[in-house]
C-alpha cells in the first residue's frame, strides 16, 4: 500500500523566514494534495499537483512535484503568524478516485 | 452557501455506549468519507461511500458503522466495540468521475469517552 512520509514532523520558524516541508511517497504519485489545518478544525485545500515537474503558487506558498512524481515540497516565503498550523499532504493511492490517503502532518509554529 | 456540516462539534460518551456523528453536505457530491485523526497520526480512513446505499471499509473500520440512505447524509456510528474512540473525526465529500478528486472537509467532531 502507498504511504506518505512528511518531514519535518514539526517546525518553529521566526516570522519573516522561509521554510520548506517535504512529502515523500513510497509509490508514484498520480495526484498530490496539500491541505492546511488549524488545530481542532477541518482541512483547508491549498493546492493540487498532478504532472511531474509541476509547480503552483498561491500568495506566499509554492508547491512542487518532482519529475519522478514521488516527492513534493511546500515552500513558504516570508512566513507570517497566519501560516501557523498543520500541513498535510494527501494522495490518491489507486487512481480510482476512491479516497485520499494522508501523511502524518507537519506542525508549523511561527514566532513573532 | 454550499458546504459540509458536521455536528456536534464536541461529544462526550460514556464507555459502552454507541454514539452517532452527523455529516451533511449540500454540494451535490457523490462521494463521502469519514476519517479519524489522532495526534501525530495524520488522517486515517474509516469508511467511504461513492453512491447511495453503498459504502466500503477503509483502513480502520472495526468498531464503526455507517449508512448512506441519502446523497446528502453520511452518519458515522461509533460503537462500544471501538476500543479507543476518543479522537477527532473528520467528514469529507468530493466529486467523482472527474479524475483525482479534491475533497472538501467539515469542521470535525471531537469525541471524548468518559
Amino acid at each position: 500500500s502507498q504511504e506518505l512520509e512528511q518531514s519535518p514532523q514539526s517546525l518553529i520558524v521566526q516570522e519573516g523566514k522561509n521554510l520548506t516541508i517535504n512529502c515523500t511517497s513510497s509509490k508514484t504519485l498520480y495526484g498530490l494534495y496539500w491541505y492546511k489545518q488549524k488545530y481542532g478544525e477541518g482541512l483547508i485545500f491549498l493546492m493540487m499537483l498532478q504532472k511531474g515537474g509541476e509547480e503552483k503558487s498561491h500568495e506566499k506558498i509554492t508547491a512542487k512535484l518532482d519529475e519522478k512524481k514521488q516527492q513534493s515540497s511546500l515552500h513558504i516565503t516570508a512566513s507570517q503568524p497566519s501560516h501557523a498550523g498543520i500541513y498535510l499532504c494527501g494522495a490518491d493511492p489507486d487512481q480510482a478516485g476512491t479516497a485520499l490517503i494522508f501523511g502524518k502532518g507537519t506542525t508549523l509554529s511561527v514566532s513573532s | 452557501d454550499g458546504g459540509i456540516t458536521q455536528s456536534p462539534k464536541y461529544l462526550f460518551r460514556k464507555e459502552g455506549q454507541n454514539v452517532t456523528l452527523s455529516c451533511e453536505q449540500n454540494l451535490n457530491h457523490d462521494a463521502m468519507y469519514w476519517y479519524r485523526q489522532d495526534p501525530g497520526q495524520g488522517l486515517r480512513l474509516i469508511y467511504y461511500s461513492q453512491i447511495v446505499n453503498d459504502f466500503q471499509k477503509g483502513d480502520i473500520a472495526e468498531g464503526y458503522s455507517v449508512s448512506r440512505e441519502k446523497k446528502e447524509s453520511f452518519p458515522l456510528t461509533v460503537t462500544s466495540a471501538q476500543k479507543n474512540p476518543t479522537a477527532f473525526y473528520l467528514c469529507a465529500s468530493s466529486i467523482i468521475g472527474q479524475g483525482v478528486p479534491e475533497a472538501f472537509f467539515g469542521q470535525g467532531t471531537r469525541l471524548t469517552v468518559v
Side-chain angles (χ1 to χ4, degrees):
Chain A
S1 61
Q2 185 171 20
E3 292 184 355
L4 298 176
E5 186 171 331
Q6 285 187 239
S7 62
Q9 186 176 356
S10 62
L11 191 55
I12 303 173
V13 298
Q14 196 170 18
E15 184 176 357
K17 298 294 186 183
N18 302 338
L19 65 108
T20 299
I21 298 169
N22 294 302
C23 176
T24 302
S25 173
S26 58
K27 297 182 181 180
T28 301
L29 290 160
Y30 293 100
L32 190 285
Y33 296 76
W34 283 102
Y35 286 86
K36 179 186 175 185
Q37 181 184 32
K38 291 285 190 182
Y39 181 76
E41 297 181 7
L43 276 63
I44 303 298
F45 172 76
L46 295 175
M47 275 171 274
M48 188 263 281
L49 305 166
Q50 280 187 287
K51 300 177 182 177
E54 187 175 7
E55 179 176 322
K56 288 186 177 179
S57 293
H58 177 66
E59 298 180 344
K60 295 185 177 181
I61 301 176
T62 300
K64 300 178 184 179
L65 183 61
D66 73 341
E67 289 289 346
K68 293 183 178 180
K69 301 204 299 181
Q70 283 198 274
Q71 186 167 5
S72 177
S73 61
L74 186 82
H75 184 78
I76 298 177
T77 304
S79 59
Q80 301 169 350
S82 61
H83 288 127
I86 302 171
Y87 290 83
L88 296 111
C89 62
D92 178 13
D94 56 11
Q95 294 184 270
T98 51
L100 296 180
I101 61 168
F102 288 87
K104 293 184 177 181
T106 295
T107 301
L108 171 64
S109 302
V110 180
S111 60
S112 54
Chain B
D1 289 333
I4 182 165
T5 303
Q6 290 186 242
S7 62
K9 189 170 177 64
Y10 299 96
L11 189 57
F12 295 87
R13 187 197 90 175
K14 291 184 179 180
E15 275 193 47
Q17 288 181 341
N18 293 353
V19 63
T20 297
L21 283 60
S22 170
C23 179
E24 304 276 335
Q25 55 97 0
N26 60 4
L27 299 165
N28 200 33
H29 286 172
D30 292 303
M32 296 187 74
Y33 316 84
W34 274 106
Y35 289 90
R36 169 179 170 143
Q37 187 177 30
D38 295 283
Q41 293 295 318
L43 272 66
R44 293 182 289 169
L45 182 66
I46 305 173
Y47 270 98
Y48 67 96
S49 168
Q50 294 188 299
I51 194 170
V52 173
N53 292 323
D54 189 47
F55 45 82
Q56 278 74 45
K57 293 181 179 180
D59 300 321
I60 56 166
E62 184 175 351
Y64 300 98
S65 66
V66 293
S67 63
R68 186 87 186 277
E69 297 177 0
K70 299 186 300 182
K71 187 176 183 179
E72 304 79 25
S73 180
F74 191 41
L76 173 74
T77 297
V78 184
T79 74
S80 56
Q82 169 49 236
K83 300 303 180 187
N84 294 297
T86 294
F88 190 55
Y89 291 89
L90 285 160
C91 180
S93 68
S94 69
I95 299 170
I96 59 173
Q98 294 186 11
V100 182
E102 171 192 337
F104 292 81
F105 283 80
Q107 288 299 299
T109 293
R110 184 166 299 281
L111 173 64
T112 303
V113 174
V114 297

